[in-house]
């Protein structure tokens, strides 16, 4: 069960600001979904390996050869704020 | 609905520009809300160029609609989310490069569930798309705009993406053909990730032949996608009107509780039709199907919580007022994402977090192994599997939107396919009242040829796909 | 045995940029960005644009294996990349692609000159990851009104070398860093002179207390200073009866102090999971093949120098402590007396370079050879040779030019002999004093000879000739 404190912590980890109203709204729905997910507890997975990649591929590489980069103009074209070629982010503290 | 061949003839007789203009006209007059962005000027310009210079590509001069989670250089790409407001990719997805080389003309970007998270195209920031067969109903999702565009005659071809059924579901609800290829057959480079380990881009058209033609164009190895396999698209030759000796597996678990009676009957009738044409059928057991939905959602949400971390308003998209960076990031994301996306990010974050990883994420991946083994066992006996695509026909707009679990349950027939990474094609196989019903033909890894041939044979011998809306 | 009175335990996490690769670790952008405008060497991948996908640079994996082998690590045959999920403005995707379970190498060591002789520092692991972008603050990090981001650095291949907490003093930490840098340069995968090439996070505890993690250290000297400050700070806390809390601290390079960064940031939960966009690496067979062609490492070269050139271990150690120096020496030693070369390259040239804070490239190898040839042929004095080296470093030119300009050619022995005879005749009192047992009187006679030869005589030769003549 996700309580209010848990939800605040998850919200913090995910950088999603949650208002009091959001917390009220989300908690029951998230819990009913988790409750439903509880179904998987019944599956017997003793000795079963997790499947991360559905195809058994490995060793895919590129050679150390430069390819075309974006121009500075293209790189900055979508940035809401920029200055002197830098992308401008909020203050740190 | 015009086929690629018919359109090609008309382009030679008249011009691509005329064809494109006709489709643009239909989009403008439509109430379906299938498109987020219509690239009118660039489409017309491209058509004029092809008319002037000629082009010998397989899709020369033919318009195509693209789901708005596939990056298109110079055309806004939003994933139907407020957070990507104004984002114009400086690069083309691999499939877009391939389409351009084939002479196709991108007429616009289609509506979808926000970040492909949904089965109804109701979670879009740009409002819901309507079903062309009944405008009070959803077109399915998440590629609802792409399916609706084909069903409504607003584009002869379109691309969607299928993470847990997002191509097949709307194909089924809209009465068109949609293919989810084997994982790795189409490059994901440029597809904005929802759940990387599950999803593939897939083609929509009004016939199996056109789906195959489009698939041939966009399939193939791409060194920019490490999960892309070294196979080129050459599936059209598989389209033979012949299922003699084909062994069809019927997974009974897909015909169980919660399946609409009309849907079940239509799919079983379709299997009978194929048997009359020379195929044989058998029951196959897929005992872990009941865990697939939960496992799917846990994996998808976990990956999504990480994939969607990059949307912070610094390099692209929505930016709110600046405070310290923590606060700013949290505000941007709270303001930019819709409720369903937030729910999935929160649940995915939870499923990966300390103390819960084993219980949710790892457990789900172990179930994924079992599901894949179910398919491997079934395919020891059967060449293809046939099942309903969706448990029921298109539901009403608003009917399920406030009940996430009932909405998730709609995906019960489609998600196991993504967990196993096998290919599946959805095609019309009947009607429930005025609403189309879709069935899916599922194949072994890389055996798109078998499912295309099965689907083609069924289509050649029935008329369901010809009944326009 | 070193007592370690304060119970200092230091462990270092060093981020090494594999900056001699041509391209970044997951995209084809160039690594050659150091003199270019911000955000001019970025692409959809390293800028984290939606839809972009990483592909592993094969050479980066090979370089990582090289380093692992050089640090005596075990190279894993199965390795994989993970996502480390956290937010920071320099991180374009909201996660860093790094390694977690199955790092490419682990369980090695580095031998350093410790407080009490040779000391082994364990290497926990050395894993691959991608570099974030570079942040620029106006003024200081805590006062700046905004943050500027340059993503040119984003996606550079990094190797994070994590040590065991085996260092017992700031000096040992510095020696460890020097040695690590030296090994990396021998492997030819790393240029330590480039900005941001090597960055250090230090963990330090005293008396078995809680550890502090110090971030943002960019030089070896900085590491030593930060750790010295931190020992004093932690001791003061304890002396006042306080408790040293586990925390992250930021090193303020300008003020040479560490500052607490305590904030909500501490509530980390990185939610590692395997990167779905990259497939696993199965690299059995790679390590033996790379080991076979691994270049000679500093310790091996040091032993070889002693054996091959007959020089002292101290000389060999000093000469091999920097790859470029070792190469410089060896090129010289092959053409002249290697022992003489060791004295002049190691004792003289290295000292003069250090004094001026210059790299070895500042001195021409051919010039070194010329100077030694002049000495071997007794054309110049040792003082003259030192003078030439200093002049070349300060003003440039060639040894011949300096010799000519300064008149450094040594005078012949018979001229010294004549001058000695004259000196004896003209300084009878000094001669008498010397004979009476005043050794010092000889110095004034040597001085007289030097004066007569205008300083071009070799003082030692002059003394020998005088002694000979005085019987
Ligand atoms: Mg690290
Ligand atoms: Zn790049």
């Amino acid at each position: 069960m996700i309580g209010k404190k848990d939800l605040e912590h998850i919200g913090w980890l995910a950088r999603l600001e949650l208002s009091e109203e959001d917390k009220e709204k989300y908690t029951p729905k998230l819990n009913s979904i988790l409750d439903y997910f509880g179904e998987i507890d019944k599956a017997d997975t003793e000795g079963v390996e997790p499947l991360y990649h559905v195809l058994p591929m490995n060793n895919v590489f590129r050679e150390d050869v430069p390819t075309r980069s974006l121009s500075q103009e293209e790189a900055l074209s979508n940035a809401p704020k920029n200055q002197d070629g830098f992308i401008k982010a909020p203050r740190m503290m | 609905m015009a086929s690629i061949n018919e359109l090609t003839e008309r382009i030679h007789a008249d011009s691509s520009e005329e064809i494109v203009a006709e489709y643009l006209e239909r989009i403008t007059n439509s109430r379906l809300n299938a498109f987020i962005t219509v690239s009118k000027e660039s489409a017309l310009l491209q058509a004029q160029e092809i008319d002037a210079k000629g082009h010998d590509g397989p899709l020369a001069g033919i318009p195509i609609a693209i789901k708005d989670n596939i990056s298109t250089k110079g055309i806004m790409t939003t994933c139907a989310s407020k957070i990507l407001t104004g984002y114009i990719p400086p690069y083309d997805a691999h499939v877009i490069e391939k389409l351009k080389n084939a002479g196709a003309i991108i007429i616009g970007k289609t509506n979808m569930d926000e970040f492909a998270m949904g089965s109804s195209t109701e979670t879009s920031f740009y409002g819901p798309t309507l079903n062309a067969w009944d405008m009070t109903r959803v077109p399915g999702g998440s590629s609802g705009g792409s399916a609706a565009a084909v069903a409504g005659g607003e584009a002869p071809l379109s691309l969607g993406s299928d993470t847990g059924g997002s191509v097949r579901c709307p194909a089924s609800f809209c009465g068109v053909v949609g293919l989810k290829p084997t994982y790795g057959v189409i490059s994901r480079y440029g597809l904005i990730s929802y759940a990387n380990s599950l999803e593939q881009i897939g083609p929509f058209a009004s016939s199996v032949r056109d789906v195959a033609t489009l698939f041939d164009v966009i399939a193939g190895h791409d060194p920019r996608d490490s999960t892309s396999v070294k196979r080129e698209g050459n599936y059209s030759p598989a389209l033979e009107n012949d299922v003699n000796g084909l062994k069809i597996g019927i997974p009974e678990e897909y015909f169980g509780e919660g399946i609409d009676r009309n849907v079940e009957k239509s799919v079983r009738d379709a299997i009978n039709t194929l048997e009359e044409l020379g195929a044989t059928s058998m029951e196959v057991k897929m005992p872990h199907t009941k865990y697939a939905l939960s496992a799917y959602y846990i994996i998808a949400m976990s990956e999504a919580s990480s994939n969607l971390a990059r949307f912070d308003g610094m390099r692209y998209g929505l930016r709110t007022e600046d405070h310290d960076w923590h606060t700013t990031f949290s505000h941007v994301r709270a303001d930019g994402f819709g409720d369903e996306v937030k729910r999935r990010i929160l649940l995915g974050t939870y499923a990966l977090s300390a103390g819960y990883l084993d219980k949710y994420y790892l457990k789900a991946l172990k179930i994924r192994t079992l599901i894949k083994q179910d398919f491997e066992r079934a395919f020891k006996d059967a060449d293809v599997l046939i099942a309903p695509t969706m448990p029921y026909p298109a539901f009403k707009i608003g009917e399920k939107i406030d009940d996430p679990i009932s909405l998730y349950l709609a995906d019960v027939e489609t998600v196991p396919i993504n967990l196993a990474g096998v290919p599946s094609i959805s095609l019309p196989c009947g009607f429930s009242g005025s609403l189309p019903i879709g069935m899916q033909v599922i194949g072994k890894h890389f055996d798109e040829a078998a499912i295309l041939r099965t689907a083609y044979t069924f289509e050649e011998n029935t008329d369901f796909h010809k009944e326009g809306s | 045995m070193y007592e370690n009175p304060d119970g200092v335990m230091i462990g270092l996490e060093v981020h090494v940029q594999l900056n001699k690769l041509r391209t970044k670790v997951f995209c084809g952008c160039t690594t050659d960005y150091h003199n270019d405008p911000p955000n001019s060497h970025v692409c959809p991948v390293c800028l984290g644009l939606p839809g972009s996908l990483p592909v592993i640079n094969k050479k980066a994996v090979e370089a990582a294996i090289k380093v692992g082998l050089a640090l005596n690590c075990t190279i894993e045959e199965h390795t994989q990349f993970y996502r480390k999920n956290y937010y920071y403005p320099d991180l374009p995707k909201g996660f860093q692609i790094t390694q977690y379970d199955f790092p490419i190498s682990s369980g090695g060591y580095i031998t350093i000159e410790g407080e009490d002789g040779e000391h082994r520092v364990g290497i926990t692991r050395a894993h691959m990851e991608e570099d974030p972008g570079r942040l620029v603050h106006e003024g200081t990090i805590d006062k700046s009104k905004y943050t500027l981001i340059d993503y040119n650095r984003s996606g550079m291949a990094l190797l994070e070398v994590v040590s065991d907490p085996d260092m017992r003093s700031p000096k040992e930490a510095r020696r460890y860093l020097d040695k690590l840098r030296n090994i990396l340069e021998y492997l030819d995968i790393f240029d330590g002179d480039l900005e941001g090439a090597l960055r250090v996070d230090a963990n330090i505890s005293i008396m078995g207390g809680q550890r502090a993690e110090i971030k943002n250290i960019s030089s070896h000297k900085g590491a030593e200073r930060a750790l010295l400050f931190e020992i004093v700070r932690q001791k003061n806390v304890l002396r006042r009866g306080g408790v040293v809390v586990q925390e992250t601290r930021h090193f303020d390079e300008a003020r040479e102090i560490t500052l607490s960064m305590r904030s909500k940031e501490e509530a980390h939960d990185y939610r590692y999971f395997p990167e779905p966009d990259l497939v696993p690496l199965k690299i059995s067979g790679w390590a033996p093949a790379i080991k076979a062609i691994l270049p000679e490492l500093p310790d091996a070269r040091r032993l070889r120098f002693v054996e091959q050139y007959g020089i002292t271990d101290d000389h060999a150690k000093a000469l091999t402590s920097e790859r470029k120096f070792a190469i410089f020496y060896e090129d010289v030693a092959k053409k002249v007396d290697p022992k003489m070369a060791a004295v002049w390259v190691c004792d003289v040239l290295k000292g003069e370079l250090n004094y001026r804070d210059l790299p070895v490239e500042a001195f021409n190898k051919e010039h070194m050879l010329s100077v030694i040839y002049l000495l071997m042929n007794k054309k110049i004095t040792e003082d003259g040779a030192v003078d030439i080296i200093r002049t070349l470093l300060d003003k440039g030119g060639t040894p011949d030019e300096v010799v000519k300009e300064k008149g450094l050619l040594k005078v012949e022995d018979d001229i010294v002999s004549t001058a000695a005879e004259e000196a004896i005749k003209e300084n009878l009192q000094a001669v008498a004093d010397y004979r009476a047992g005043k050794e010092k009187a000889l110095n004034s006679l040597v001085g007289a000879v030097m004066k007569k030869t205008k300083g071009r005589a070799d003082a030692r030769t002059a003394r020998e000739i005088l002694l000979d003549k005085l019987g």
Side-chain angles (χ1 to χ4, degrees):
Chain A
M1 281 289 282
I2 297 183
K4 195 176 149 193
K5 276 266 168 298
D6 302 318
L7 189 57
E8 281 168 359
H9 178 63
I10 305 164
W12 163 254
L13 287 177
R15 292 300 183 284
L16 274 178
E17 195 185 58
L18 299 170
S19 63
E20 286 304 315
E21 194 193 331
D22 287 336
K23 286 178 225 165
E24 299 277 310
K25 188 171 71 175
Y26 287 131
T27 312
K29 280 197 175 148
L30 297 183
N31 278 316
S32 66
I33 295 168
L34 281 177
D35 202 39
Y36 178 79
F37 288 171
E39 187 72 8
I40 60 170
D41 290 344
K42 293 183 199 147
D44 179 9
T45 53
E46 189 67 39
V48 178
E49 289 294 313
L51 182 67
Y52 293 106
H53 292 90
V54 79
L55 299 178
M57 295 174 77
N58 51 56
N59 291 3
V60 176
F61 298 111
R62 30 172 287 273
E63 296 303 319
D64 190 22
V65 178
T67 51
R68 201 188 77 87
S69 299
L70 297 172
S71 67
Q72 190 195 54
E73 193 192 339
E74 286 172 309
L76 300 176
S77 64
N78 280 290
K81 294 186 180 180
N82 58 68
Q83 177 182 315
D84 307 327
F86 290 92
I87 285 170
K88 198 171 179 184
R91 64 180 189 270
M92 295 303 293
M93 308 264 182
Chain B
M1 276 174 274
S3 69
I4 294 175
N5 280 341
E6 287 161 4
L7 289 170
T8 303
E9 272 172 39
R10 279 200 51 204
I11 289 166
H12 287 309
D14 306 327
S15 69
S16 169
E17 190 183 356
E18 259 173 75
I19 306 274
V20 170
E22 266 175 37
Y23 279 102
L24 287 169
E25 177 81 12
R26 255 177 262 150
I27 295 168
T28 312
N29 297 331
S30 169
R31 288 168 48 210
L32 297 181
N33 193 30
F35 286 82
I36 291 173
T37 303
V38 181
S39 45
K40 189 175 172 186
E41 270 133 63
S42 65
L44 287 171
L45 208 69
Q46 218 184 322
Q48 286 160 5
E49 209 168 293
I50 282 180
D51 288 335
K53 293 186 195 153
H55 195 294
D56 55 9
L59 299 178
I62 294 182
I64 184 166
I66 307 293
K67 189 177 183 180
D68 209 24
N69 61 352
I70 297 173
S71 305
T72 42
K73 187 173 181 173
I75 304 174
M76 188 169 78
T77 300
T78 68
C79 289
S81 180
K82 184 181 176 188
I83 209 158
L84 273 174
T85 300
Y87 171 60
I88 298 174
Y91 77 107
D92 272 330
H94 183 72
V95 291
I96 301 299
E97 287 177 358
K98 288 227 165 196
L99 286 173
K100 286 181 177 173
N101 287 337
I105 292 168
I106 291 149
I107 54 167
K109 305 297 294 289
T110 59
N111 203 4
M112 56 186 281
D113 281 295
E114 185 181 1
F115 282 104
M117 295 177 179
S119 314
S120 64
T121 314
E122 290 171 281
T123 68
S124 168
F125 177 66
Y126 299 91
T129 294
L130 313 182
N131 191 315
W133 297 79
D134 175 348
M135 296 217 199
T136 66
R137 290 178 188 268
V138 302
S142 66
S143 315
S146 290
V150 172
E154 298 173 26
L157 303 171
S158 64
L159 290 187
S161 66
D162 189 316
T163 311
S166 286
V167 164
R168 288 160 292 152
C169 161
S172 166
F173 282 6
C174 292
V176 299
V177 185
L179 171 70
K180 198 292 284 185
T182 306
Y183 187 81
V185 165
I186 297 180
S187 168
R188 292 182 294 114
Y189 192 78
L191 169 67
I192 301 179
S193 303
Y194 158 27
N196 335 43
S197 80
L198 297 161
E199 63 207 5
Q200 277 287 289
I201 290 170
F204 286 101
S206 51
S207 70
V208 175
R209 175 165 296 286
D210 284 357
V211 158
T213 305
L214 178 51
F215 183 42
D216 280 347
V217 167
I218 59 174
H221 180 247
D222 175 12
R224 294 170 300 185
D225 175 357
S226 305
T227 63
S228 153
V229 297
K230 291 196 168 122
R231 282 166 189 267
E232 295 309 310
N234 185 24
Y235 299 90
S236 294
L239 299 185
E240 284 180 69
N241 186 351
D242 179 10
V243 288
N244 224 342
L246 181 81
K247 288 179 281 179
I248 300 169
I250 306 171
E252 284 305 324
E253 291 82 357
Y254 287 65
F255 292 83
E257 201 191 331
I259 308 294
D260 178 276
R261 294 239 306 277
N262 284 332
V263 169
E264 172 163 7
K265 184 172 183 308
S266 294
V267 177
R268 291 205 191 267
D269 287 350
I271 295 169
N272 288 339
T273 303
L274 289 164
E275 283 178 314
E276 281 159 22
L277 293 166
T280 56
S281 77
M282 72 198 75
E283 240 182 66
V284 292
K285 288 259 168 289
M286 311 201 70
H288 297 97
T289 306
K290 55 178 176 285
Y291 303 120
L293 197 68
S294 294
Y296 164 78
Y297 271 100
I298 291 166
I299 295 167
M301 288 174 181
S302 298
E303 291 180 9
S305 71
S306 173
N307 289 330
L308 269 57
R310 71 187 64 197
F311 301 100
D312 58 18
M314 299 302 111
R315 295 158 303 283
Y316 39 80
L318 183 74
R319 177 79 162 259
T320 55
E321 197 192 323
D322 278 8
H323 303 278
D324 67 277
W325 72 271
H326 289 290
T327 312
T328 311
F329 279 29
S330 300
H331 281 184
V332 164
R333 294 166 59 77
D335 191 19
F337 291 132
D339 274 346
E340 181 58 25
V341 173
K342 285 182 195 169
R343 268 199 291 271
R344 295 193 192 194
I345 290 175
L346 291 168
L347 284 169
T349 304
Y350 184 69
L352 289 174
S353 68
Y356 298 96
L357 188 82
D358 288 4
K359 182 175 164 57
Y360 293 110
Y361 182 65
L362 280 178
K363 180 84 178 177
L365 288 170
K366 288 175 184 173
I367 291 171
R368 189 173 187 185
T369 301
L370 297 173
I371 304 260
K372 191 185 175 202
Q373 289 168 354
D374 276 0
F375 278 94
E376 283 162 358
R377 256 192 314 273
F379 282 125
K380 275 194 187 129
D381 302 319
D383 299 320
V384 299
L385 309 179
I386 292 183
T389 307
M390 298 302 289
Y392 31 69
F395 47 85
K396 293 263 186 195
I397 292 170
E399 185 183 325
K400 293 179 190 291
I401 194 70
D402 290 321
D403 183 0
I405 294 178
S406 86
L407 203 54
Y408 298 173
L409 280 168
D411 301 339
V412 68
E413 311 270 300
T414 49
V415 298
I417 282 81
N418 301 76
L419 287 169
V422 293
S424 171
I425 187 167
S426 177
L427 70 159
C429 69
F431 287 91
S432 177
S434 64
L435 298 173
I437 292 170
M439 69 166 174
Q440 52 177 340
V441 185
I442 306 155
K444 298 170 197 169
H445 280 150
F446 306 116
D447 199 7
E448 274 82 353
I451 62 171
L452 285 165
R453 184 160 60 92
T454 308
Y456 179 73
T457 305
F458 181 77
E459 195 182 76
E460 285 292 295
N461 292 281
T462 57
D463 285 328
F464 301 111
H465 66 289
K466 291 184 188 150
E467 296 186 28
S469 51
Chain C
M1 269 296 285
Y2 176 60
E3 295 290 338
N4 194 6
D6 297 319
V8 173
M9 284 172 74
I10 298 168
L12 298 177
E13 288 168 23
V14 184
H15 288 91
V16 176
Q17 248 187 9
L18 302 176
N19 54 17
K20 281 208 171 177
L21 296 170
R22 293 178 68 201
T23 65
K24 297 180 181 181
V25 62
F26 297 126
C27 65
C29 289
T30 179
T31 55
D32 184 11
Y33 61 81
H34 288 85
N35 299 312
D36 292 336
N39 298 305
S40 59
H41 296 297
V42 292
C43 71
V45 178
C46 55
L47 203 52
L49 292 188
S52 63
L53 299 171
V55 185
I56 304 168
N57 181 344
K58 191 175 183 186
K59 275 263 163 28
V61 178
E62 289 169 357
I65 292 174
K66 264 190 184 179
V67 176
L69 289 170
L71 302 183
N72 308 295
C73 288
T74 307
I75 307 299
E76 302 299 334
E77 297 190 346
H78 167 99
T79 178
Q80 199 165 325
F81 285 95
Y82 276 68
R83 288 188 182 179
K84 179 183 185 179
N85 293 286
Y86 69 98
Y87 288 87
Y88 209 68
D90 62 6
L91 201 61
K93 299 188 294 293
F95 59 83
Q96 181 191 34
I97 303 178
T98 178
Q99 297 191 301
Y100 182 58
D101 288 344
F102 319 108
I104 192 159
S105 65
S106 58
Y109 63 87
I110 290 181
T111 309
I112 62 164
E113 195 68 27
E115 295 284 355
D116 48 0
E118 272 206 352
H119 182 67
R120 240 185 209 197
V121 178
I123 303 293
T124 317
R125 54 193 272 156
H127 67 252
M128 299 179 71
E129 60 186 29
E130 56 180 342
D131 210 347
R134 182 173 65 97
L135 298 183
V136 178
H137 311 287
E138 188 195 33
T140 58
I141 186 169
D142 48 336
K143 301 259 163 58
S144 184
K145 288 192 183 67
Y146 51 84
T147 310
L148 299 177
I149 319 174
D150 170 14
Y151 289 102
N152 282 346
R153 198 178 80 182
S154 169
M156 288 291 285
L158 287 186
L159 208 61
E160 182 176 336
V161 181
V162 183
S163 85
D164 296 337
D166 289 348
M167 285 153 279
R168 301 160 297 178
S169 67
K171 189 168 88 185
E172 286 192 347
R174 182 166 181 175
R175 294 250 169 93
Y176 169 87
L177 291 171
D178 288 343
K179 186 67 176 275
L180 176 62
R181 172 176 169 158
N182 189 26
I183 293 170
L184 294 167
E185 293 197 324
Y186 268 68
L187 295 174
D188 207 23
I189 46 107
F190 172 76
D191 179 352
D193 290 333
L194 290 174
E195 194 245 315
L198 199 146
R199 303 183 313 267
V200 184
D201 296 340
N203 288 297
I204 175 166
S205 66
I206 61 170
M207 307 289 192
Q210 298 267 45
R211 69 191 159 84
E213 184 180 9
I214 313 166
K215 295 215 176 260
N216 188 45
I217 304 171
S218 60
S219 71
H220 300 199
K221 201 161 71 181
E224 195 173 6
R225 293 284 158 82
L227 289 164
L228 283 168
F229 176 87
E230 193 56 24
I231 290 174
V232 172
R233 186 190 70 83
Q234 294 191 13
K235 278 164 85 172
N236 284 339
V237 171
L238 293 176
R239 189 160 43 225
R240 286 194 296 263
V243 177
V244 179
V245 293
Q246 183 166 343
E247 62 174 344
T248 303
R249 300 180 68 84
H250 180 92
F251 181 53
D252 184 328
E253 203 130 35
R255 291 186 281 173
E256 294 192 343
I257 57 169
T258 69
L259 298 165
S260 178
M261 291 186 59
R262 235 173 307 164
S263 72
K264 270 176 126 186
E265 261 183 274
E266 299 289 319
H268 276 317
D269 179 352
Y270 292 122
R271 289 158 284 135
Y272 286 97
F273 71 101
E275 168 58 86
D277 291 329
L278 293 173
V279 299
L281 307 186
K282 298 252 161 78
I283 49 175
S284 55
W286 287 33
I290 291 172
K291 191 166 196 164
I293 54 163
L294 209 61
E296 185 181 45
L297 294 171
D299 289 347
R301 187 165 296 180
R302 173 177 160 190
L303 291 176
R304 180 171 64 81
F305 275 12
V306 171
E307 208 162 278
Q308 185 175 344
Y309 298 118
I311 62 177
T312 65
D313 187 54
D314 280 349
H315 272 153
K317 187 162 68 176
L319 287 166
T320 54
S321 70
E322 209 180 312
R323 175 170 176 257
K324 291 174 200 161
F325 235 98
I327 294 171
F328 186 98
Y329 165 73
E330 189 150 30
D331 287 348
V332 174
K334 277 179 184 154
K335 295 189 176 154
V336 298
D337 171 14
K339 287 184 195 159
M340 190 167 173
V343 169
W344 285 92
V345 173
C346 188
D347 297 347
V348 182
L349 177 61
K350 199 165 192 209
E352 296 297 334
L353 287 168
N354 286 349
Y355 177 71
R356 289 166 181 76
D357 205 12
L358 287 172
V360 68
E361 292 92 323
F363 201 81
N364 186 319
K365 211 176 286 171
E366 294 304 319
H367 291 172
M368 190 75 240
L369 279 169
S370 303
V371 170
I372 294 177
Y373 287 141
L374 287 167
L375 277 167
M376 282 165 71
N377 296 333
K378 297 196 164 36
K379 297 275 194 200
I380 55 171
T381 66
E382 291 188 351
D383 289 346
V386 172
D387 198 358
I388 295 171
I389 290 170
R390 286 180 179 160
T391 308
L392 290 175
L393 284 170
D394 294 335
K395 298 191 178 118
T398 68
D400 284 346
E401 284 165 9
V402 178
V403 166
K404 204 177 280 171
E405 261 167 44
K406 296 204 157 189
L408 293 177
L409 270 191
K410 196 164 86 174
V411 292
E412 306 289 330
D413 281 1
D414 50 348
I415 296 180
V416 181
S417 183
T418 313
E421 275 164 26
E422 282 176 25
I424 288 170
K425 274 182 206 154
E426 290 164 15
N427 295 282
L428 290 175
Q429 186 57 49
V431 172
D433 287 349
Y434 172 74
R435 293 220 160 104
K438 285 188 186 169
E439 292 276 331
K440 272 189 181 168
L442 188 62
N443 291 344
S444 68
L445 290 171
V446 173
V449 174
M450 298 305 282
K451 206 170 174 186
K452 284 178 185 296
T453 57
K454 297 195 174 96
R456 282 184 288 160
D458 180 15
R460 200 166 359 132
T461 315
R463 178 179 283 262
E464 277 162 17
I465 290 174
L466 279 166
L467 284 175
D468 191 44
K469 292 198 188 294
L470 291 169

